[in-house]
């Protein structure tokens, strides 16, 4: 039952926002009593924390699996982007914004964990790309990794990128291309263009 509650709550939070969904909403949606929910979770903050961390670990595991496939670094980043979009495609209520505003301690914990995972992943991605000759060899690897993480985080800020002007898919596509065009060699540019062209077909 706990797993079912987590799955349902995560879906509702992504669709409606962390603040908007109440424990009453969740119990009514699932057709169970609030007492059943509280048998597994101390309070709503505990539920939000476990949902957030659960989704984080699911996506992190997916990223690890993609990295284990041994794809070239440019393809790897596009596969990770697809994975993230698959899990976050139903976002309709700026869950990151609500998390930051109403559950800052959980947001900060998530942000730090995202940073640790992404930094390691991107640093390794850049190093492999340089070794393969598809990224420029004069890159400052740590700087590029930090800038990439900062950008990925910033495009979720609706005050900077309002949904009325940009969809999340457009932002992810444009940002990834922006990042890669700044670091690829001519050889890497050919791979990148082929991926972009195939995605548009």
């Amino acid at each position: 039952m706990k797993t079912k509650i987590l799955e349902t709550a995560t879906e509702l939070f992504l669709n409606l926002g962390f603040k908007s969904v109440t424990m009453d909403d969740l119990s009514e949606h699932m057709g169970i009593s609030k007492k059943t929910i509280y048998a597994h979770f101390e309070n709503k903050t505990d539920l939000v924390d476990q949902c957030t961390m659960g989704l984080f670990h699911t996506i992190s595991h997916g990223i690890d699996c993609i990295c284990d496939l041994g794809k070239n670094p440019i393809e790897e980043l596009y596969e990770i982007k697809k994975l993230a979009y698959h899990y976050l495609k139903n976002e309709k209520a700026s869950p990151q914004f609500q998390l930051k505003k109403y559950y800052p301690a959980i947001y900060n914990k998530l942000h730090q964990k995202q940073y640790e995972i992404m930094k390691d992943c991107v640093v390794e991605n850049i190093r492999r790309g340089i070794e393969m000759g598809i990224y420029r060899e004069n890159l400052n690897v740590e700087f590029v990794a930090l800038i990439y993480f900062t950008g990925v985080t910033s495009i979720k800020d609706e005050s900077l990128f309002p949904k009325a002007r940009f969809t999340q898919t457009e932002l992810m596509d444009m940002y990834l291309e922006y990042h890669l065009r700044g670091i690829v060699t001519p050889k890497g540019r050919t791979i990148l263009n082929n991926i972009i062209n195939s995605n548009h077909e």
Side-chain angles (χ1 to χ4, degrees):
M1 177 55 75
K2 182 177 181 179
T3 300
K4 185 63 179 172
I5 293 171
L6 280 170
E7 288 173 353
T8 305
T10 299
E11 184 180 348
L12 289 174
F13 287 145
L14 287 177
N15 273 289
L16 304 172
F18 290 100
K19 176 67 174 174
S20 307
V21 178
T22 66
M23 297 300 248
D24 284 319
D25 293 331
L26 181 59
S27 67
E28 184 178 340
H29 185 83
M30 294 189 69
I32 60 176
S33 68
K34 281 202 294 184
K35 185 176 179 182
T36 302
I37 298 172
Y38 285 119
H40 299 282
F41 304 95
E42 271 184 54
N43 47 41
K44 185 181 172 184
T45 301
D46 181 34
L47 176 62
V48 169
D49 185 39
Q50 292 198 44
C51 285
T52 304
M53 290 302 117
L55 184 59
F56 166 77
H57 288 302
T58 298
I59 294 174
S60 296
H61 176 69
I63 290 173
D64 287 341
C65 291
I66 289 170
C67 292
D68 288 342
L69 294 175
K71 291 178 176 286
N72 81 58
I74 296 173
E75 290 176 322
E76 182 176 275
L77 288 181
Y78 272 92
E79 287 300 314
I80 290 171
K81 183 209 72 171
K82 275 194 240 175
L83 174 80
Y85 179 67
H86 170 75
Y87 282 104
L88 303 176
K89 64 186 174 185
N90 292 324
E91 285 188 2
K92 294 187 180 69
S94 306
Q96 290 255 358
F97 171 77
Q98 288 201 8
L99 194 66
K100 186 177 183 180
K101 184 174 182 180
Y102 298 107
Y103 300 94
I106 297 172
Y107 174 84
N108 289 333
K109 179 171 74 169
L110 175 65
H111 190 73
Q112 184 60 35
K113 284 181 172 292
Q114 287 174 329
Y115 168 72
E116 290 164 4
I117 291 288
M118 189 174 287
K119 186 184 176 191
D120 290 344
C121 176
V122 175
V123 163
E124 179 60 25
N125 180 279
I126 296 167
R127 285 183 177 148
R128 284 199 304 115
I130 292 171
E131 288 170 7
M132 293 173 67
I134 60 177
Y135 294 162
R136 292 187 288 110
E137 61 181 18
N138 63 340
L139 295 174
N140 182 313
V141 175
E142 186 174 7
F143 172 79
V144 173
L146 287 169
I147 286 292
Y148 181 73
F149 176 75
T150 304
V152 166
T153 306
S154 295
I155 62 173
K156 291 183 175 292
D157 186 339
E158 273 201 56
S159 65
L160 295 172
F161 302 97
K163 283 191 175 181
R165 292 181 60 194
F166 306 99
T167 68
Q168 195 62 38
T169 315
E170 288 172 336
L171 286 172
M172 290 167 75
D173 282 338
M174 288 188 291
Y175 182 68
L176 185 52
E177 182 178 350
Y178 173 83
H179 164 71
L180 287 166
R181 289 209 183 278
I183 66 173
V184 292
T185 60
K187 179 182 175 183
R189 192 177 305 118
T190 300
I191 296 170
L192 176 60
N193 287 339
N194 287 339
I195 291 173
I196 292 171
N197 291 336
S198 66
N199 287 342
H200 288 164
E201 289 175 358

